[in-house]
Amino acid sequence: MFRHHSRPLVSAPAETAVLALLLAEGPLSRVELARRTGLSSTAVTKAARPLIDDGYLYELPPERTAPGAGRPVNPLAVSPDREFFVGVKVSPDHLFGAVCDLRAGIRVTARLPLADCRPDTVAAVFSALLDELLDNQPEFRERTRHVGVAVSGDVDRECGLVRHSGLLGWSDVPLAALLTAATGLAVTVENDVRALTVAEHWFGEGIGTGYFALVTIGAGIGSALVVNGELLRGAYGVSGEVGHICVDQTGPRCRCGANGCVEAFASTDAILRAVRDATGRPELAFEEVVELAREGDPAAREAFARAGRAIGVGIATLVNLVGPERVVVSGEGLAAYDLFGRHIKDAFAAHAFGAASRCPLLLRPLPWEEWSRGAAAVAIQALFPQYAATAATGSG
C-alpha cells in the first residue's frame, strides 16, 4: 500500500513543490505547474511520474486552453482517496475525531467522552476512537498511516511534547510517543490554533497567500501566523500570541499573570466575570450574559463592547507588525458576534496603520469537526520532508 510506511511520500524538491501546489490549488496543467514552481516542463513531468505511478496523482481528460490553441493539455489532479488521515482534537472532557482524505475533506467523524484527562486515560480513549473511525470503511484502515493531534497550550511539535496545557492540567507530556505506542501509527502533535491555521492556509481561506493570520475567540483568544508561506513559530515557540498583547496596563489581571491583555477583556470567562461583578449576580452563566446583552442590559453590552475593542486593537497590532493578506476570525465566540463585531471592526479601523486597514477580516464558523480537520491537515503535512521528522513513527 505504501512504499515506505513511516517515511515522507516525497523527498526531492521538485516532487515536493509539485505535490504541495496540486494539493492546495489543483487540478493544474504541467505548463501551469512549471510556471508556478519555476521548474522546467521536463522537471515537472519527471517529478509527477512516480506520484502518478503510486496513485497519488492522475491525469484528467485532455482540454484545450483556448480556442485555436495547440495540442490539448492533460491537467494533473490529486487522487483524494489514495491515502486517509485521522485528526483528533483533545478537550478536557471529550476526544473529537475525523477521517479526512488527501485534500482534507472530512469523510467521517466521531467523538468519545473522557472520564478524566490524565494522559493514560486519553491514550486509551484515543485508541478506541481510532478503531471506531477506521472501522467505518475497510479502506480507511488500510490506507491510513498518519494521525494528527490538536491540543491547547504550549506544544513542541518537533519532540511531540506538550510542554504545558493549562486547560488539560498537563506539563511535559510526551504525547506523540504515548499515542504511537497505543496505536502503532505515526503521530504528530500540534497546538490546536496552529493546526487550524494549517488547514485554513493549505485548504481554506488562506490558499495561495504568503502572509496569513487566524484569530480564534472563545475560552481564550488564540492566533497563529503564516509568514513567507510557512507557519511562524519564532525562537521560543509562542509567536503571534495576539491574546497576550497588552491593550491597557491598568486593565484586569490575565491568567498569564500580566495586566490588560486582550484575553483579560475578551475571553468568555473575562466577559462573564465582568458582568457578574457589575450586576452583583455571581450565579449568571455565559449564555445568560449573552441574553442580557441582547435584551439591552447596559453592563452586559459594555462588557461585550470592551471585548470587541480589545480584540480589534489586538488584530490591528498583529496586522501592523506582520502585514497578512487576510485575517480569518473564528472560534466558538462567534455565536455572540452580533454583540461585539462592530466594536472589533471599529477598533481595527482606528488602529490599523495606513494601507493595513484594507486587510479583510473574514468570519469563519468553527464547529468541533473543524478542529479535527485541522489536526488531520497537520498529519497531511507529514507527507513532506520538512515536516515528517516531527512525527513519532509507528511500526509497519
Side-chain angles (χ1 to χ4, degrees):
M1 179 53 63
F2 300 113
R3 280 181 293 168
H4 305 292
H5 183 79
S6 61
R7 295 182 190 174
L9 171 64
V10 292
S11 55
E15 286 184 10
T16 300
V18 167
L19 180 59
L21 190 55
L22 286 170
L23 276 175
E25 301 184 50
L28 295 169
S29 70
R30 289 173 174 81
V31 172
E32 182 64 10
L33 284 165
R35 186 186 72 80
R36 298 281 297 276
T37 62
L39 299 168
S40 68
S41 294
T42 301
V44 168
T45 297
K46 184 179 178 181
R49 177 47 54 193
L51 294 169
I52 293 172
D53 291 344
D54 270 359
Y56 283 89
L57 302 181
Y58 68 99
E59 292 183 310
L60 291 172
E63 62 180 36
R64 293 191 180 274
T65 55
R71 188 172 62 184
V73 299
N74 294 80
L76 291 174
V78 169
S79 302
D81 290 355
R82 175 60 181 85
E83 187 167 349
F84 296 101
F85 304 82
V86 175
V88 176
K89 159 69 173 170
V90 182
S91 79
D93 52 10
H94 279 82
L95 295 185
F96 301 98
V99 175
C100 293
D101 61 31
L102 194 49
R103 298 199 67 178
I106 296 176
R107 296 304 183 88
V108 67
T109 61
R111 67 173 82 184
L112 287 178
L114 290 169
D116 57 69
C117 57
R118 291 182 296 118
D120 57 341
T121 302
V122 169
V125 177
F126 182 89
S127 184
L129 179 64
L130 254 64
D131 284 341
E132 181 175 338
L133 289 165
L134 296 179
D135 286 343
N136 268 272
Q137 299 288 339
E139 62 267 29
F140 287 169
R141 189 173 291 279
E142 65 187 35
R143 298 182 194 170
T144 298
R145 55 177 172 156
H146 294 288
V147 182
V149 180
V151 182
S152 71
D154 182 4
V155 176
D156 183 337
R157 173 171 168 166
E158 187 168 348
C159 297
L161 181 73
V162 181
R163 291 197 193 101
H164 177 75
S165 175
L167 193 63
L168 299 174
W170 290 359
S171 293
D172 295 326
V173 174
L175 189 61
L178 190 66
L179 299 181
T180 290
T183 64
L185 296 173
V187 175
T188 304
V189 181
E190 181 60 281
N191 167 270
D192 52 2
V193 177
R194 286 184 175 156
L196 194 63
T197 303
V198 168
E200 283 298 309
H201 184 233
W202 281 38
F203 304 107
E205 296 287 356
I207 289 176
T209 60
Y211 293 79
F212 173 72
L214 181 138
V215 175
T216 57
I217 302 170
I221 308 299
S223 60
L225 297 167
V226 171
V227 175
N228 287 329
E230 295 292 334
L231 190 67
L232 184 66
R233 298 179 182 280
Y236 307 104
V238 291
S239 61
E241 281 285 356
V242 71
H244 298 288
I245 291 174
C246 179
V247 293
D248 181 0
Q249 291 184 352
T250 64
R253 191 84 162 170
C254 181
R255 63 178 178 173
C256 74
N259 285 79
C261 296
V262 172
E263 193 168 295
F265 289 100
S267 70
T268 52
D269 281 350
I271 294 170
L272 179 60
R273 185 167 53 250
V275 177
R276 283 173 172 175
D277 290 347
T279 61
R281 297 175 60 185
E283 79 285 357
L284 284 173
F286 184 75
E287 293 73 18
E288 294 172 308
V289 167
V290 170
E291 287 307 309
L292 281 176
R294 287 176 176 154
E295 291 167 2
D297 180 87
R301 293 191 68 83
E302 176 56 23
F304 280 101
R306 288 204 312 166
R309 289 192 292 268
I311 294 168
V313 171
I315 294 175
T317 303
L318 181 151
V319 171
N320 289 342
L321 286 171
V322 181
E325 296 161 57
R326 62 193 71 131
V327 177
V328 168
V329 181
S330 192
E332 63 269 23
L334 287 190
Y337 193 78
D338 58 304
L339 298 172
F340 54 61
R342 176 175 60 84
H343 303 286
I344 292 176
K345 292 180 178 178
D346 288 349
F348 173 76
H351 290 87
F353 178 72
S357 63
R358 298 204 299 267
C359 176
L361 306 184
L362 308 174
L363 301 185
R364 182 82 155 81
L366 188 60
W368 66 262
E369 294 92 342
E370 290 298 317
W371 289 110
S372 302
R373 179 175 180 261
V378 170
I380 293 170
Q381 283 190 325
L383 295 177
F384 296 87
Q386 64 267 47
Y387 305 109
T390 65
T393 55
S395 60

